[in-house]
Amino acid sequence: MLLLHLPLAFAQDIPIETGLRRWYRADDVQLASNSVTVWNDRSTDADDAEAPEFSRRPLRIASNGEIAGRPSLRFDDDRLEFDGSFIAGGSYTIFIVAGRLGNGSQEFYLG
């Protein structure tokens, strides 16, 4: 599971800035070539999401016309992992900016 918060506005315009348990932005990643090795957690928990397998790293798209020219991550049977135990047994809200690449059930990107 990925929890993501990437607004279309700048950070100072985000209505929710405090109390976030995870905050991943597509412009705050560590790369090997153009694949994501670590997605940095900008929350105070600092629980970065990491790629467990070299062959299953998502790609970073530097500028995406579908998300106001901002970067995005493309997942194609890829994954990033983090400790999500904090959501067990509790209520939570997930904010995601996503887009579809086509009509297939698994054709989407996260930004």
Side-chain angles (χ1 to χ4, degrees):
M1 176 188 295
L2 292 175
L3 298 182
L4 168 70
H5 179 74
L6 175 65
L8 294 179
F10 294 106
Q12 63 268 25
D13 298 328
I14 301 171
I16 301 171
E17 291 185 16
T18 59
L20 297 174
R21 296 298 307 267
R22 300 294 181 273
W23 181 11
Y24 300 106
R25 290 177 47 141
D27 62 353
D28 191 4
V29 296
Q30 298 174 37
L31 301 171
S33 297
N34 204 32
S35 64
V36 177
T37 58
V38 176
W39 201 352
N40 298 311
D41 178 11
R42 297 172 61 110
S43 77
T44 57
D45 290 350
D47 185 17
D48 300 338
E50 299 183 12
E53 302 171 42
F54 175 80
S55 62
R56 298 187 70 188
R57 294 177 178 167
L59 294 177
R60 181 175 184 268
I61 310 302
S63 177
N64 190 316
E66 300 296 322
I67 308 179
R70 298 191 54 107
S72 63
L73 302 185
R74 180 172 294 156
F75 290 81
D76 181 15
D77 196 31
D78 303 312
R79 60 191 277 176
L80 295 170
E81 297 179 354
F82 66 90
D83 176 14
S85 61
F86 70 95
I87 63 174
S91 298
Y92 55 89
T93 301
I94 300 173
F95 299 93
I96 298 176
V97 175
R100 292 182 58 95
L101 296 175
N103 293 327
S105 63
Q106 298 179 357
E107 296 177 352
F108 62 93
Y109 57 85
L110 300 177

